[in-house]
Amino acid sequence: MSSSSSKQNRGNFFEDFAVGQTIAHATPRTITGADATLYTALYGSRFVVQSSDAYARAIGFPGTPLDDLLVFHMVFGKTVPDISLNAIANLGYAECVFHAPVFAGDTVTVTSEVIGVKENSNGKTGVVYVRTTGRNQRDEIILSFVRWVMVRKADPASAAPDVDVPDLETVTTITTAPASFSRLKLDAWSNTLSGSPHRWDDYDIGEKIDHVDGSTIEEAEHQLATRLYQNTAKIHFNQHTEGEGRFGRRLVYGGHIISMARALSFNGLANAFHILVINGGQHVAPCFAGDTVYAWSEIIDKVAFDDTTDAGALRIRTVAVKNQAASHYPGAIVDDSGKRTYAEGVVLDIDYWAAIPR
Amino acid sequence: MSSSSSKQNRGNFFEDFAVGQTIAHATPRTITGADATLYTALYGSRFVVQSSDAYARAIGFPGTPLDDLLVFHMVFGKTVPDISLNAIANLGYAECVFHAPVFAGDTVTVTSEVIGVKENSNGKTGVVYVRTTGRNQRDEIILSFVRWVMVRKADPASAAPDVDVPDLETVTTITTAPASFSRLKLDAWSNTLSGSPHRWDDYDIGEKIDHVDGSTIEEAEHQLATRLYQNTAKIHFNQHTEGEGRFGRRLVYGGHIISMARALSFNGLANAFHILVINGGQHVAPCFAGDTVYAWSEIIDKVAFDDTTDAGALRIRTVAVKNQAASHYPGAIVDDSGKRTYAEGVVLDIDYWAAIPR
Amino acid sequence: MSSSSSKQNRGNFFEDFAVGQTIAHATPRTITGADATLYTALYGSRFVVQSSDAYARAIGFPGTPLDDLLVFHMVFGKTVPDISLNAIANLGYAECVFHAPVFAGDTVTVTSEVIGVKENSNGKTGVVYVRTTGRNQRDEIILSFVRWVMVRKADPASAAPDVDVPDLETVTTITTAPASFSRLKLDAWSNTLSGSPHRWDDYDIGEKIDHVDGSTIEEAEHQLATRLYQNTAKIHFNQHTEGEGRFGRRLVYGGHIISMARALSFNGLANAFHILVINGGQHVAPCFAGDTVYAWSEIIDKVAFDDTTDAGALRIRTVAVKNQAASHYPGAIVDDSGKRTYAEGVVLDIDYWAAIPR
């Protein structure tokens, strides 16, 4: 007696999503100091608060907080089997708020709510908007973000749902410091140990920073990273199928590029130690093993916190490019109609608020 | 005054093994949470009990137990310098019992007893059977298994020992839950968090499960894994010699494929959270960097535990194949004489009991 | 309003260094057990004291000490942005003393003093000598070493400083055991668990040891290692620029080769569990991904400690070679004028004292 099983997860299709639906994602994850170590080995990040337990304690943390993007990738990874296993494209991010620091040993559990659906005119695909929330073992929200993805329909003949597209902020307004900052003693901040004398007051709106260094991607590296995040998107791991696919090779997880760009940004933004909000982000072009990634940033806004004179926020746009230096700041060109096109080689355009001592 | 040393370990040859001999292996190993993290990065395993400390505690463990196969590889690795440094082939495994869970911080010490020897008719090689036992720092047995390897003779002219081949079980009988299960509270098991609604009662004998996904091996990945296990077999690490050898390249450690297949099996067997016994296993063909591994499984038996209604055991045969999907369940063909031959592309055939909540 | 930033670290040039100057390096680093685990995965090191917590405790350590070279690389990495970002060559090491063991959780902070400068006759470059000191979170010195590097001048027309070249020991005199040994109980040392019966008394001055095994370098491996150490030297990471450079490819961090050679040396020196002093070292030729590294050692001196009969020191010269076995002990040839040239394939020549039980 032999039978074929249907116990596998085949992922959700466009018809499977309805506005208001809540999805509890599987495989809660305890994030440890070892994840942080491997993250350092993967990206070479040098932000001092995440590197030195002694330094983190000196400025009032109970120990090194985990890198914000490590937490982001862990939360994101959980959503893949339910949200984007049948996705054609990861279209964008918005309203990504880092609500509370995460420390080694915290266990993250993730849910998503469907907040929008819109079938495409071709009748074969649609766009799904979800708001994803990560909580720690005390049920405190540590991260929430919206993303939208293009997903295949299982049956092109199925009826289109009512169009429901959420209103999303293009930029989150920052006025006060995060609650966790009330415990910080930023007067103990050492520019010598952080690696830069440049604080909030030293950055000007409009200032552009070439992060100088380039870093070449290896297959083993992006695979290790993406599996560390328990992200199961097939396109990153399977050369047998991808060799026959659109690019002829495995696609690097877009979040890997975000982390590479953030690590490179240390050279010029060493004191911008904590990401508060990612206002939005776009993967402009795919990356592959062998590509060398560079980055540059522009300071597009800055706010002093209402409630503390110790720190402020910089709104930073970081652009990553591949196989060319970023010294000429390649980016988007907006034409008369408002359409953005990107210069050759741009792979990532991300807009975020980061906290930095004053 | 200069002299050549003979302080190196050159490994044992067939003549060095005698039935009844006990070998204490060097380099006891403290296995940590960092090993578990790196294991996740290497294989992308998503079994919830090994991923979430909070979940593991909720069902009665003191914390996340280490992945069974991580422990297996660590114990196996210890035996290589004494047992298989001069091995031509790793012929098989049997009676591999996971006696007790292992937790981060436990130190594993390993011994082996020679339980059989049989010289081959060519007079140049012989088969050695050893039973290997891993113990924790409280001297509790955590793992034992038999394996047999073909080993070179140092001197073809040396006399053949008496043939002594052990009787080995082809399948271990399971009746009761492991002792550690008496502390578990499997009524707290969450299908939502584990990623699957399918429990013991839902699996049928004869059911075949295609695990769908494929994963491509990189040189850096299998080398990192095999060194993590302190496995010193030369064939995995030395392109200078292997480039001139039988395959022209480094051979991937067989255990790496077992772990890949187990991680892939999550997609269809997500609740089968603990390996109780590996009844037997065979590395049907070698794997190399660049190969993409897929897997499928068949439920070949199931037993309810005598002493608890919370869980039962599934006997699972998992077959890994390379560079082809597993959707057509390629496996062994047994001809009239009982001889098994394997379909092209099969690389691993492993038969094990796993515990799963009811 | 848009402006180009000069907030990046461009590194120091020859003119920026003056004898007597002290440089506090950025990014103090908490070294954890996860760093040790990744180190094992990168090099396959099997020295028992660093592998087993239970063994380390049995001989009197509070737990496994971190591998000496892991600590070295971490301290070295900190100095790169200030000392060698514009270096043309890393010329040598001397007086590298491991003052105290480092344990998981210790935070290392690093400073360097400029102890010598000498402009080269071409007027374009100069040699800078620095003494680097690593301290733990209790401000205890754990490591100090001298290195000298050739650094570009920013302006070839700038005046040459007075020549000031430090007197450096070619070999550090060892008479007593390190202070930390007073807590050790080396009578509990087990040759069985350490993997070798050979102790201090068994090694003869002049004895040469072929470490037998070879290990092939992958790009992902040396990049992971070098980023783990937060070493930012561009030449290791950027194929886009290095592809156009002197070698056409990324250069492997020299310290990666030192660690490979030390791990290989286990096979013949398994009981030499702790490096006391690196008297000197030279990177004879560069290594690249794809190279297979072998090593051999010579015992060049031995001393019994004055203050304990439990252990002594061996002075060991380890030579690493690439793409050839080390069985013929390829090394330096010293001609009549005292000039050393190296046999083809030699990549490293390092001279160190290691402690070993008697």
Side-chain angles (χ1 to χ4, degrees):
Chain A
M1 182 181 63
S2 174
S3 62
S4 284
S5 173
S6 57
K7 293 189 167 63
Q8 308 87 340
N9 174 31
R10 302 276 181 184
N12 289 313
F13 291 88
F14 182 67
E15 300 92 319
D16 298 317
F17 296 99
V19 172
Q21 179 185 5
T22 295
I23 300 167
H25 303 297
T27 318
R29 176 70 140 80
T30 304
I31 314 182
T32 70
D35 291 300
T37 297
L38 198 44
Y39 191 87
T40 301
L42 287 164
Y43 306 108
S45 188
R46 289 182 289 145
F47 293 97
V48 67
V49 173
Q50 286 78 21
S51 178
S52 166
D53 201 57
Y55 192 97
R57 288 177 198 278
I59 64 161
F61 282 108
T64 48
L66 295 168
D67 191 284
D68 303 301
L69 292 174
L70 172 60
V71 175
F72 174 83
H73 299 319
M74 291 285 188
V75 171
F76 184 99
K78 298 300 151 209
T79 70
V80 170
D82 299 311
I83 306 298
S84 49
L85 210 61
N86 298 309
I88 293 156
N90 207 12
L91 298 173
Y93 308 100
E95 301 182 13
C96 175
V97 181
F98 294 85
H99 296 271
V102 182
F103 296 96
D106 284 352
T107 299
V108 175
T109 303
V110 181
T111 56
S112 293
E113 184 187 2
V114 180
I115 60 169
V117 291
K118 177 174 183 299
E119 186 168 304
N120 287 328
S121 53
N122 63 16
K124 295 178 181 168
T125 58
V127 177
V128 179
Y129 296 78
V130 294
R131 185 180 300 277
T132 292
T133 305
R135 290 178 171 80
N136 67 17
Q137 68 280 9
R138 293 179 299 276
D139 210 37
E140 297 160 351
I141 295 178
I142 48 123
L143 175 63
S144 61
F145 61 88
V146 173
R147 69 168 169 136
W148 52 107
V149 293
M150 192 190 301
V151 182
R152 255 178 268 278
K153 291 177 68 175
D155 174 9
S158 62
D162 291 342
V163 172
D164 191 341
V165 173
D167 279 333
L168 297 171
E169 293 175 346
T170 54
V171 56
T172 296
T173 303
I174 298 273
T175 54
T176 59
S180 61
F181 276 44
S182 65
R183 295 190 305 267
L184 297 190
K185 299 169 283 190
L186 289 175
D187 53 331
W189 189 273
S190 160
N191 290 348
T192 301
L193 296 180
S194 72
S196 170
H198 306 298
R199 299 187 177 205
W200 185 87
D201 300 274
D202 302 312
Y203 287 88
D204 296 318
I205 294 172
E207 182 174 354
K208 291 183 172 176
I209 306 166
D210 171 18
H211 300 307
V212 181
D213 305 307
S215 187
T216 303
I217 303 168
E218 295 295 321
E219 296 281 12
E221 291 172 0
H222 78 83
Q223 292 198 149
L224 285 168
T226 310
R227 284 187 305 241
L228 181 71
Y229 312 141
Q230 297 174 310
N231 178 327
T232 59
K234 301 165 198 284
I235 202 164
H236 309 313
F237 302 112
N238 188 329
Q239 184 58 36
H240 178 243
T241 52
E242 297 313 315
E244 304 296 313
R246 184 159 46 137
F247 301 114
R249 50 204 309 210
R250 285 161 279 177
L251 184 69
V252 174
Y253 163 50
H256 194 65
I257 308 304
I258 299 177
S259 282
M260 291 179 77
R262 167 76 173 155
L264 291 169
S265 80
F266 178 88
N267 197 357
L269 287 164
N271 285 332
F273 73 101
H274 170 47
I275 299 179
L276 299 161
V277 172
I278 300 176
N279 293 307
Q282 189 181 348
H283 297 295
V284 176
C287 284
F288 306 100
D291 285 341
T292 300
V293 174
Y294 296 81
W296 65 274
S297 295
E298 180 175 354
I299 308 302
I300 50 180
D301 200 359
K302 55 189 291 189
V303 296
F305 292 135
D306 276 354
D307 50 350
T308 171
T309 57
D310 285 347
L314 297 178
R315 184 176 165 203
I316 301 165
R317 175 189 174 208
T318 295
V319 175
V321 297
K322 68 179 188 182
N323 304 328
Q324 58 179 289
S327 48
H328 60 301
Y329 313 120
I333 301 130
V334 182
D335 70 14
D336 294 345
S337 69
K339 181 171 158 56
R340 291 163 77 96
T341 53
Y342 277 93
E344 179 67 21
V346 174
V347 294
L348 173 75
D349 189 356
I350 192 168
D351 170 344
Y352 64 102
W353 286 106
I356 181 167
R358 295 186 66 175
Chain B
M1 182 181 62
S2 173
S3 64
S4 284
S5 173
S6 58
K7 292 189 168 64
Q8 309 88 342
N9 174 32
R10 301 278 182 183
N12 288 313
F13 291 88
F14 182 67
E15 300 94 319
D16 297 317
F17 296 100
V19 172
Q21 179 185 5
T22 294
I23 300 167
H25 303 296
T27 319
R29 175 70 140 84
T30 302
I31 314 181
T32 70
D35 292 299
T37 297
L38 199 44
Y39 191 86
T40 300
L42 288 162
Y43 305 109
S45 189
R46 290 183 287 145
F47 294 97
V48 67
V49 174
Q50 286 78 21
S51 179
S52 167
D53 201 57
Y55 192 97
R57 287 177 198 277
I59 64 160
F61 282 108
T64 48
L66 296 168
D67 192 283
D68 303 301
L69 292 174
L70 171 60
V71 174
F72 175 82
H73 299 320
M74 291 284 189
V75 170
F76 185 98
K78 298 300 150 207
T79 70
V80 169
D82 299 312
I83 306 298
S84 48
L85 211 62
N86 299 307
I88 294 156
N90 207 13
L91 298 173
Y93 308 100
E95 301 182 12
C96 176
V97 181
F98 295 85
H99 297 271
V102 182
F103 296 96
D106 285 352
T107 299
V108 175
T109 303
V110 181
T111 57
S112 293
E113 185 187 1
V114 180
I115 61 169
V117 291
K118 178 173 181 300
E119 186 167 306
N120 287 328
S121 53
N122 63 16
K124 295 178 182 169
T125 59
V127 177
V128 178
Y129 295 78
V130 294
R131 184 180 302 276
T132 292
T133 304
R135 291 178 171 80
N136 67 18
Q137 69 280 9
R138 293 179 298 277
D139 211 37
E140 297 161 351
I141 296 178
I142 48 121
L143 176 63
S144 62
F145 61 89
V146 173
R147 70 169 171 136
W148 50 107
V149 293
M150 192 188 301
V151 182
R152 257 177 268 277
K153 292 177 67 175
D155 175 8
S158 63
D162 292 342
V163 171
D164 191 340
V165 173
D167 280 334
L168 297 171
E169 293 175 347
T170 53
V171 55
T172 296
T173 303
I174 298 274
T175 54
T176 58
S180 61
F181 276 44
S182 64
R183 296 191 303 267
L184 297 190
K185 300 169 282 189
L186 288 175
D187 52 331
W189 189 273
S190 160
N191 290 348
T192 301
L193 296 180
S194 73
S196 169
H198 307 297
R199 297 186 177 206
W200 185 85
D201 300 275
D202 301 313
Y203 288 88
D204 296 317
I205 294 172
E207 182 175 353
K208 289 181 174 177
I209 306 166
D210 171 17
H211 300 307
V212 181
D213 305 308
S215 186
T216 303
I217 303 167
E218 295 296 322
E219 297 282 11
E221 292 173 359
H222 79 82
Q223 291 199 150
L224 285 169
T226 310
R227 283 186 304 240
L228 181 71
Y229 312 141
Q230 297 173 313
N231 178 327
T232 59
K234 302 165 198 286
I235 202 164
H236 309 313
F237 302 111
N238 187 330
Q239 183 58 35
H240 178 242
T241 54
E242 297 312 315
E244 304 297 312
R246 185 159 45 134
F247 301 113
R249 50 206 307 212
R250 285 161 279 176
L251 184 69
V252 174
Y253 163 50
H256 194 66
I257 308 304
I258 300 178
S259 283
M260 291 179 77
R262 168 75 173 154
L264 291 169
S265 80
F266 177 88
N267 197 357
L269 288 164
N271 285 331
F273 73 100
H274 171 47
I275 298 179
L276 299 162
V277 172
I278 299 175
N279 293 307
Q282 191 180 346
H283 298 295
V284 176
C287 283
F288 305 99
D291 285 342
T292 300
V293 174
Y294 295 81
W296 64 274
S297 294
E298 180 175 355
I299 308 303
I300 50 179
D301 200 359
K302 55 189 290 191
V303 296
F305 291 137
D306 277 355
D307 50 351
T308 173
T309 57
D310 285 347
L314 297 178
R315 185 175 164 204
I316 301 165
R317 176 189 172 208
T318 295
V319 175
V321 297
K322 70 177 187 183
N323 304 330
Q324 57 179 289
S327 48
H328 60 301
Y329 312 120
I333 301 132
V334 181
D335 70 12
D336 294 346
S337 69
K339 181 173 156 56
R340 292 163 76 97
T341 53
Y342 278 92
E344 180 66 21
V346 174
V347 293
L348 174 74
D349 188 356
I350 192 168
D351 170 344
Y352 65 102
W353 286 106
I356 182 168
R358 295 187 66 176
Chain C
M1 179 181 67
S2 173
S3 63
S4 284
S5 174
S6 57
K7 293 190 167 62
Q8 309 89 341
N9 175 30
R10 302 276 181 183
N12 289 313
F13 290 88
F14 182 68
E15 300 94 318
D16 298 316
F17 296 100
V19 173
Q21 179 185 4
T22 295
I23 300 168
H25 303 297
T27 319
R29 176 69 141 82
T30 303
I31 314 181
T32 69
D35 291 301
T37 297
L38 198 44
Y39 191 86
T40 300
L42 287 164
Y43 305 109
S45 189
R46 290 182 288 145
F47 294 96
V48 67
V49 173
Q50 287 78 22
S51 178
S52 167
D53 201 57
Y55 192 97
R57 288 178 199 278
I59 65 162
F61 282 108
T64 48
L66 294 168
D67 193 284
D68 303 302
L69 292 174
L70 171 60
V71 174
F72 174 82
H73 299 320
M74 291 283 189
V75 171
F76 184 99
K78 298 302 149 208
T79 70
V80 169
D82 300 311
I83 305 299
S84 48
L85 211 62
N86 298 308
I88 294 156
N90 207 12
L91 298 173
Y93 308 101
E95 301 181 12
C96 175
V97 181
F98 294 85
H99 296 271
V102 182
F103 296 96
D106 285 352
T107 299
V108 175
T109 302
V110 181
T111 56
S112 293
E113 186 186 1
V114 180
I115 60 170
V117 291
K118 178 175 183 299
E119 185 169 304
N120 286 328
S121 53
N122 63 17
K124 296 178 182 167
T125 59
V127 177
V128 178
Y129 295 78
V130 294
R131 184 179 304 275
T132 292
T133 305
R135 291 177 171 79
N136 66 18
Q137 68 279 12
R138 293 179 298 277
D139 211 38
E140 297 160 350
I141 295 177
I142 48 121
L143 175 64
S144 61
F145 60 90
V146 173
R147 71 169 170 136
W148 51 106
V149 294
M150 193 188 301
V151 182
R152 255 178 268 279
K153 290 177 69 175
D155 174 10
S158 63
D162 291 342
V163 172
D164 190 340
V165 174
D167 279 332
L168 297 171
E169 293 176 348
T170 54
V171 56
T172 297
T173 304
I174 297 274
T175 54
T176 59
S180 61
F181 276 45
S182 65
R183 296 189 303 268
L184 297 190
K185 300 168 282 189
L186 289 175
D187 52 332
W189 188 273
S190 160
N191 290 347
T192 301
L193 296 180
S194 73
S196 168
H198 307 298
R199 298 186 176 206
W200 185 85
D201 300 274
D202 302 312
Y203 287 87
D204 296 318
I205 294 170
E207 182 174 353
K208 290 181 174 176
I209 306 166
D210 170 18
H211 299 307
V212 181
D213 305 307
S215 187
T216 304
I217 302 166
E218 296 294 323
E219 297 281 12
E221 292 172 0
H222 78 83
Q223 291 199 151
L224 285 169
T226 310
R227 284 187 303 241
L228 181 72
Y229 313 141
Q230 296 172 313
N231 179 327
T232 59
K234 302 165 198 286
I235 201 163
H236 309 313
F237 301 113
N238 187 330
Q239 184 58 35
H240 178 242
T241 52
E242 297 313 314
E244 304 297 312
R246 184 160 45 135
F247 302 113
R249 51 205 307 211
R250 284 161 279 177
L251 185 69
V252 175
Y253 163 50
H256 193 66
I257 309 303
I258 300 178
S259 282
M260 290 180 78
R262 168 73 174 154
L264 291 169
S265 80
F266 178 88
N267 198 357
L269 287 164
N271 286 330
F273 73 101
H274 171 48
I275 298 179
L276 299 161
V277 172
I278 300 175
N279 293 307
Q282 192 181 345
H283 299 295
V284 176
C287 284
F288 306 99
D291 285 341
T292 300
V293 174
Y294 295 81
W296 66 274
S297 295
E298 180 175 353
I299 307 302
I300 51 179
D301 199 357
K302 55 189 291 190
V303 296
F305 292 137
D306 276 355
D307 50 351
T308 171
T309 58
D310 286 346
L314 297 177
R315 184 177 164 203
I316 301 165
R317 175 190 172 207
T318 295
V319 175
V321 297
K322 70 177 187 183
N323 304 328
Q324 59 179 289
S327 48
H328 60 299
Y329 313 120
I333 301 130
V334 182
D335 71 13
D336 294 346
S337 69
K339 180 173 159 55
R340 292 163 77 96
T341 54
Y342 279 92
E344 179 67 21
V346 173
V347 293
L348 174 73
D349 188 356
I350 192 168
D351 170 343
Y352 65 103
W353 286 105
I356 181 168
R358 296 187 64 176

